[in-house]
Amino acid sequence: MGIEREIKLALPPEQAAAADRFFTAAAGAPGRDVPLANLYFDTPSLALAGAKIALRLRKTPDGWLQTLKAAGTAEGGMHSRHEWETAVAGESLEFDTLAAACDDASALAALRAAAPELGERFRTTFVRRLWRFEFDGARIEAAIDRGEVTAPAEGETRRDAISEIELELLDGDERALHALTAKLSAAVPGLTPENVNKAQRGYRLCAR
């Protein structure tokens, strides 16, 4: 089990270039673009959401990954939650592999109960521009995500734009993450903490 620790910031689209310049200077190199497609699964009654669990299948340039994320916390843009991730052969979930990786009994029970009724409920499609660098002795991955969340509902496709920054602590003291956020916010006007993650935005589209 891993604990994901990251800060999410809503990025005004007109400030994307300024954020790009900031991270390129911090890393000493341009960012790397990674196209990502994410399919989120739940039951028709949204049982996983009720259990505060997100189940995702992600297509990356290197292959497919499945991820289970359990309940976490979000305050001031700082997100912390348990997650389990494994590689899969293609565009389908592999429950046995995920169950073997998950060491949380309640999350695993909720997943197994929902399994017979699972189907895709929404997806996120975006380009992630990535940088990795050291800051105040910590290793940090910075990302600018731009794209959209889409959900089929009532005969239409509902959409919500994605424009955000994610700062993930890979190794080191969490205080470095907050110090970097303060420096970034001083350089890029208009950034605000984002306490709603992409999965939650997808669920809101489903329920609207």
Side-chain angles (χ1 to χ4, degrees), residues 6-24:
E6 64 184 12
I7 289 177
K8 295 179 185 287
L9 301 168
L11 172 65
E14 67 274 12
Q15 295 295 344
D20 190 300
R21 289 192 296 270
F22 178 92
F23 292 129
T24 296

Side-chain angles (χ1 to χ4, degrees), residues 48-106:
L48 292 184
K52 300 186 184 302
I53 290 173
L55 178 59
R56 181 185 73 198
L57 191 62
R58 166 173 283 180
K59 183 181 182 182
T60 77
D62 299 321
W64 289 88
L65 298 170
Q66 61 182 358
T67 305
L68 180 67
K69 296 193 178 190
T73 60
E75 183 176 352
M78 180 69 186
H79 295 246
S80 179
R81 66 191 310 188
H82 298 295
E83 70 170 8
W84 301 267
E85 186 168 80
T86 65
V88 293
E91 191 177 345
S92 61
L93 297 167
E94 297 179 7
F95 288 102
D96 289 345
T97 304
L98 196 55
C102 179
D103 58 359
D104 183 284
S106 60

Side-chain angles (χ1 to χ4, degrees), residues 32-37 58-65 126 128 130:
R32 174 173 61 95
D33 284 349
V34 180
L36 297 173
R58 166 173 283 180
K59 183 181 182 182
T60 77
D62 299 321
W64 289 88
L65 298 170
F126 55 93
R128 169 166 288 174
L130 282 171

Side-chain angles (χ1 to χ4, degrees), residues 168-183:
E168 182 174 357
L169 184 66
L170 301 178
D171 183 61
D173 194 314
E174 191 176 296
R175 288 176 294 184
L177 207 58
H178 294 283
L180 177 62
T181 300
K183 186 174 181 179

Side-chain angles (χ1 to χ4, degrees), residues 41 93-94 148 192 197:
F41 295 83
L93 297 167
E94 297 179 7
E148 64 177 358
T192 56
N197 62 40

Side-chain angles (χ1 to χ4, degrees), residues 65-173:
L65 298 170
Q66 61 182 358
T67 305
L68 180 67
K69 296 193 178 190
T73 60
E75 183 176 352
M78 180 69 186
H79 295 246
S80 179
R81 66 191 310 188
H82 298 295
E83 70 170 8
W84 301 267
E85 186 168 80
T86 65
V88 293
E91 191 177 345
S92 61
L93 297 167
E94 297 179 7
F95 288 102
D96 289 345
T97 304
L98 196 55
C102 179
D103 58 359
D104 183 284
S106 60
L108 187 55
L111 178 63
R112 284 178 168 156
E117 294 187 277
L118 287 177
E120 183 187 337
R121 301 301 160 205
F122 59 91
R123 62 177 59 195
T124 64
T125 307
F126 55 93
V127 174
R128 169 166 288 174
R129 182 162 291 180
L130 282 171
W131 296 262
R132 286 189 176 184
F133 52 87
E134 290 194 1
F135 183 84
D136 282 0
R139 289 179 58 242
I140 292 172
E141 180 177 272
I144 296 176
D145 292 344
R146 304 190 72 188
E148 64 177 358
V149 187
T150 57
E154 299 180 351
E156 65 175 355
T157 299
R158 297 173 178 173
R159 302 178 183 275
D160 191 15
I162 295 170
S163 181
E164 64 184 36
I165 289 171
E166 292 188 1
L167 302 174
E168 182 174 357
L169 184 66
L170 301 178
D171 183 61
D173 194 314

